């Protein structure tokens, strides 16, 4: 990785069977690196060996995963092409995972067999016409994946399917269990075998265990899910499929996103009005207020709402933290809500707004695009610069760049042309290939660049490998000055809740402050958005309040403050 030679002692130290990633430097091994910005007040964190060699060491910032579920309502066989809806839903979530994908469907008749198709690669390559013909069903779930806690192999493709005493069970999971070790020991102690190191398989097997209060008339799946959620408080969004039901589950901290949508009949209007009200509120039973009929042909649940319009669905709401929603042919209903501890707040991942989510997705009552626009406005207030044009590293920095331009009064102009047929640079396996990847990925619009003082906006910096070659590209095209502005705070801490943010050793913000980093990458200046500025920007357009079940964000990768604290039995 680019940067000063050798990590500071406050970073990675390896032992034989485990490693210790020090979040402090207050003993004889204290940090001697004057430019290191690590927090020197926190305790050591033991990291189980499962986190090493899992892809985060070689790759950069990767998304988590995407989950999707769909069910037809009314009489079965449904008129909704469930497999096609799920496939299109996964295509809309492709940005959340590009390693593997899978779909599992049920016709609602047999508890013994599901229709399954999984594979490595992109959605369109996995689900051809032959595969889709086999995925008949009235309900189904799907998953697209980046590896977090297990290797990128076909055996780890989701959804996972197990055959229980009560029939088949399928589970798709987004996130990562923070207390995986204790849960694994408990499951293995019950005589259950595990075929992978995936947290998702562990969840699937844990759901097969009887809840402590026991069961009388067959399996009580809401009670089993409740039991799992109390054993593992975060981090996950789950879609769980049985013969004729789907359960949508979000962890009590709301760390991972999950939302609900309604499939409308063809030809239905997406905005319902009446003489007494301009906006008819949608109810969970499928009807609308003011007597306006709003029949649902089906229901969908997804990590993000970005694909709803393309499949003829309307966004209804988010699944609340700790909520268990049951989806059946009769509609949807909340069957339970698992509360988090009274002294803990919601901890929705703030990087969903910064980077992970698609710009047209809706979180907490606002579109992600508007939040990123506000981040750019806040960045212009905090870090102004005298320049001729504002531009962005496409695509993720574009919304913030427009916000910066509007706030500063400096015109926006494109300076980079993106080759859309080149893969993401963080997938490349070495620093040299990542840098070459930048050359393949971008070209400079020299007529817009020549002689200009440019403010270039990007959403984040992880290793600092790619921004330097971009700056060189602009200078070679004739840029007079290049000022870098980052629409998020410095990344300083790893994430252990489903995002492949690398070890602290690899995060450039732990090795250089903004002044040294600017010199290192060849920028005339470089500034980050503050944590306070980011939080303020996210809250600016929120249409919901803490009384609606929200009100807090996880900033652990920025501040080192992890939402559930550091339990004694921790895999970190």
């Amino acid at each position: 990785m680019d940067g000063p030679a050798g990590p500071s002692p406050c970073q990675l130290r390896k032992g034989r069977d485990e490693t210790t990633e020090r979040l402090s430097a207050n003993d004889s091994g204290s940090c001697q690196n004057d430019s290191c910005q690590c927090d020197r007040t926190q305790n050591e964190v033991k990291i189980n060996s499962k986190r090493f060699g899992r892809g985060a060491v070689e790759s950069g910032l990767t998304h988590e995963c995407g989950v999707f579920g769909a069910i037809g309502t009314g009489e079965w066989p449904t008129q909704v092409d469930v497999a096609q809806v799920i496939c299109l839903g996964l295509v809309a979530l492709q940005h959340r995972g590009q390693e593997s994908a899978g779909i599992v469907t049920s016709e609602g008749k047999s508890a013994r067999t599901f229709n399954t198709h999984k594979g490595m690669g992109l959605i369109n390559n996995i689900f051809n016409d032959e595969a889709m013909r086999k995925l008949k069903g009235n309900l189904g779930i799907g998953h697209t994946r980046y590896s977090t806690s297990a290797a990128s192999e076909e055996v780890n493709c989701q959804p996972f399917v197990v055959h229980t005493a009560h029939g088949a069970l399928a589970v798709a999971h987004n996130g990562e269990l923070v207390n995986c070790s204790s849960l694994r020991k408990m499951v293995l102690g019950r005589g259950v075998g595990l075929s992978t190191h995936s947290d998702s398989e562990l969840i699937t097997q844990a759901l097969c265990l009887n809840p402590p209060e026991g069961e009388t008339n067959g399996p009580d799946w809401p009670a089993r899910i409740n039991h799992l959620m109390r054993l593992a408080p975060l981090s996950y969004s789950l879609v769980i499929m049985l013969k004729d039901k789907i359960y949508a589950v979000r962890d009590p901290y709301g760390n991972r996103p999950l939302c609900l949508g309604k499939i409308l009949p063809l030809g239905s209007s997406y905005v319902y009005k009446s003489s007494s009200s301009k906006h008819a509120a949608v109810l969970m039973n499928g009807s609308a207020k003011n007597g306006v009929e709003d029949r649902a042909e089906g229901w969908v649940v997804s990590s993000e709402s970005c694909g709803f319009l393309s499949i003829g669905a309307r966004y209804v709401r988010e699944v609340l933290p700790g909520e268990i929603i049951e989806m059946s042919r009769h509609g949807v209903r909340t069957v339970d809500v698992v509360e988090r501890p009274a002294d803990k707040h919601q901890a929705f991942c703030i990087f969903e707004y910064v980077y992970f989510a698609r710009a047209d997705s809706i979180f907490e009552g606002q579109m992600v695009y508007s939040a990123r626009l506000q981040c750019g406005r806040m960045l212009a207030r905090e870090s102004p610069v005298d320049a001729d044009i504002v531009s962005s590293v496409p695509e993720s920095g574009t919304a913030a760049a427009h916000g910066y331009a509007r706030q500063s009064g400096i015109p926006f102009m494109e300076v980079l042309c993106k080759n859309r047929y080149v893969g993401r640079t963080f997938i490349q396996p070495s620093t040299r290939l990542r840098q070459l990847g930048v050359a393949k990925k971008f070209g400079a619009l020299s007529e817009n660049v020549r002689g200009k003082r440019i403010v270039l906006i990007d959403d984040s910096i992880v290793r600092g490998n790619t921004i330097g070659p971009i700056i060189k590209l602009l200078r070679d095209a004739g840029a007079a000055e290049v000022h870098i502005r980052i629409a998020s705070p410095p990344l300083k801490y790893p994430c252990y809740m489903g995002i492949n943010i690398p070890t602290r050793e690899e995060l450039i913000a732990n090795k250089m402050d903004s002044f040294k980093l600017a010199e290192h990458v060849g920028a005339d200046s470089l500034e980050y958005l503050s944590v306070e500025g980011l939080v303020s920007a996210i809250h600016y357009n929120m249409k919901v309040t803490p009384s609606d079940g929200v009100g807090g964000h996880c900033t652990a990768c920025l501040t080192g403050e992890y939402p559930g604290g550091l339990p004694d039995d921790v895999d970190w």
Side-chain angles (χ1 to χ4, degrees):
M1 136 173 213
D2 297 341
S8 58
C10 63
Q11 292 160 349
L12 208 56
R13 302 183 179 189
K14 296 185 178 180
R16 178 177 301 173
D17 298 320
E18 67 176 16
T19 60
T20 300
E21 182 168 348
R22 298 185 59 88
L23 297 185
S24 68
N26 53 10
D27 54 15
S28 58
S30 62
C31 179
Q32 303 300 317
N33 186 346
D34 293 336
S35 66
C36 182
Q37 301 179 17
C38 60
D39 188 339
R40 306 183 182 204
T41 63
Q42 300 192 44
N43 297 322
E44 292 184 356
V45 180
K46 296 283 181 89
I47 303 179
N48 181 286
S49 59
K50 86 162 190 171
R51 287 196 55 81
F52 290 88
R54 68 174 202 166
V57 174
E58 292 296 341
S59 62
L61 189 63
T62 62
H63 303 67
E64 318 110 82
C65 299
V67 299
F68 196 93
I71 187 169
T73 57
E75 295 299 320
W76 287 349
T78 178
Q79 298 303 306
V80 176
D81 190 337
V82 167
Q84 194 69 38
V85 166
I86 297 171
C87 188
L88 290 172
L90 292 181
V91 169
L93 298 177
Q94 185 77 86
H95 60 284
R96 300 185 71 87
Q98 300 175 21
E99 286 183 358
S100 64
I103 294 176
V104 179
T105 63
S106 169
E107 296 181 48
K109 300 175 182 177
S110 172
R112 295 184 178 182
T113 59
F114 289 160
N115 303 314
T116 303
H117 187 76
K118 299 189 282 188
M120 304 297 294
L122 300 179
I123 308 297
N124 288 334
N125 295 331
I126 298 170
F127 299 103
N128 54 30
D129 291 342
E130 182 181 356
M132 295 302 292
R133 281 194 295 268
K134 295 178 181 178
L135 291 171
K136 296 179 181 179
N138 295 302
L139 65 159
I141 63 174
H143 185 270
T144 184
R145 179 178 187 266
Y146 267 126
S147 60
T148 52
S149 64
S152 177
E153 300 171 351
E154 191 160 353
V155 69
N156 292 311
C157 293
Q158 296 186 46
F160 279 112
V161 179
V162 296
H163 296 274
T164 75
H166 308 287
L169 169 74
V171 175
H173 166 224
N174 165 215
E176 185 174 0
L177 301 182
V178 299
N179 63 334
C180 176
S181 181
S182 62
L183 191 59
R184 180 173 292 273
K185 289 176 183 177
M186 185 200 75
V187 169
L188 293 174
R190 301 284 185 92
V192 175
L194 298 171
S195 59
T196 74
H197 292 285
S198 168
D199 293 359
S200 307
E201 186 201 13
L202 185 59
I203 290 171
T204 307
Q205 295 289 2
L207 287 170
C208 298
L209 303 176
N210 293 329
E213 57 273 19
E215 297 169 319
T216 54
N217 298 317
D220 186 343
W221 291 108
R224 292 184 179 203
I225 297 169
N226 182 301
H227 182 220
L228 169 68
M229 295 173 73
R230 296 187 185 281
L231 290 173
L234 52 75
S235 160
Y236 48 83
S237 286
L238 304 172
V239 285
I240 302 166
M241 188 178 76
L242 304 171
K243 177 187 74 171
D244 55 359
K245 289 185 177 69
I246 294 175
Y247 289 98
V249 183
R250 194 174 177 198
D251 72 60
Y253 289 81
N255 186 251
R256 302 265 66 87
L258 196 64
C259 63
L260 190 67
K262 176 189 295 187
I263 300 176
L264 298 175
L266 292 177
S268 295
S269 172
Y270 284 88
V271 179
Y272 284 80
K273 298 181 179 180
S274 71
S275 58
S276 59
S277 173
K278 292 184 178 180
H279 302 287
V282 178
L283 300 179
M284 293 297 288
N285 63 5
S287 62
K289 288 182 179 179
N290 306 311
V292 179
E293 182 63 25
D294 191 15
R295 181 176 60 86
E297 285 197 341
W299 292 87
V300 292
V301 61
S302 175
S303 293
E304 296 182 38
S305 62
C306 53
F308 283 0
L309 287 178
S310 64
I311 59 173
R314 177 196 291 147
Y315 173 84
V316 175
R317 67 173 178 88
E318 293 182 276
V319 177
L320 297 178
E323 186 176 16
I324 304 172
I325 290 179
E326 181 184 87
M327 307 168 65
S328 72
R329 64 194 300 174
H330 305 295
V332 298
R333 65 189 183 104
T334 299
V335 294
D336 203 355
V337 177
V338 177
E339 301 290 341
R340 57 184 173 270
D343 60 337
K344 301 294 184 181
H345 300 287
Q346 180 183 342
F348 178 52
C349 174
I350 205 164
F351 246 74
E352 290 284 352
Y353 283 110
V354 172
Y355 179 78
F356 296 125
R358 217 170 78 172
D360 54 337
S361 290
I362 298 171
F363 295 140
E364 300 172 313
Q366 65 178 326
M367 192 162 282
V368 170
Y369 181 89
S370 67
R372 291 177 182 168
L373 193 76
Q374 190 62 26
C375 285
R377 287 185 178 274
M378 187 63 67
L379 184 60
R381 296 186 193 121
E382 292 185 350
S383 302
V385 62
D386 189 16
D388 300 310
I389 60 174
V390 174
S391 194
S392 68
V393 179
E395 306 283 341
S396 51
T398 302
H402 281 292
Y404 194 103
R406 294 182 190 183
Q407 182 66 33
S408 65
I410 302 171
F412 175 88
M413 185 177 292
E414 293 184 28
V415 299
L416 292 171
C417 183
K418 184 176 181 180
N419 181 352
R420 304 180 191 279
Y421 301 96
V422 176
R424 293 175 180 269
T425 55
F426 60 62
I427 297 174
Q428 302 292 349
S430 71
T431 297
R432 175 174 170 76
L433 288 178
R434 274 192 295 269
Q435 292 175 337
L436 290 174
V438 169
K440 292 186 299 180
K441 191 173 183 179
F442 295 110
L445 299 173
S446 56
E447 290 185 2
N448 293 350
V449 170
R450 192 175 298 114
K452 299 291 198 306
R453 297 170 298 167
I454 302 169
V455 183
L456 189 68
I457 311 295
D458 203 358
D459 56 10
S460 58
I461 290 183
V462 184
R463 286 189 175 89
N465 286 328
T466 59
I467 194 68
I470 290 175
I471 294 170
K472 183 178 184 303
L473 188 69
L474 294 176
R475 291 199 185 281
D476 290 345
E481 298 176 9
V482 181
H483 300 272
I484 302 298
R485 294 294 181 268
I486 307 300
S488 66
L491 277 166
K492 295 184 179 181
Y493 301 90
C495 175
Y496 309 114
M497 290 167 285
I499 303 171
N500 264 2
I501 291 181
T503 60
R504 296 194 74 205
E505 181 184 44
E506 297 179 278
L507 294 170
I508 194 69
N510 287 322
K511 296 185 176 183
M512 302 181 188
D513 60 22
S514 59
F515 300 102
K516 291 187 177 181
L517 182 55
E519 181 180 358
H520 175 68
V521 300
D524 290 281
S525 68
L526 187 150
E527 297 291 345
Y528 296 92
L529 182 64
S530 67
V531 175
E532 296 76 16
L534 174 61
V535 172
S536 176
I538 298 305
H539 286 180
Y540 183 79
N541 285 314
M542 282 176 58
K543 300 297 191 297
V544 288
T545 65
S547 61
D548 295 316
V550 301
H553 297 95
C554 177
T555 60
C557 58
L558 311 174
T559 63
E561 299 174 4
Y562 296 93
L566 295 177
D568 294 333
D569 178 27
V570 67
D571 287 341
W572 308 347

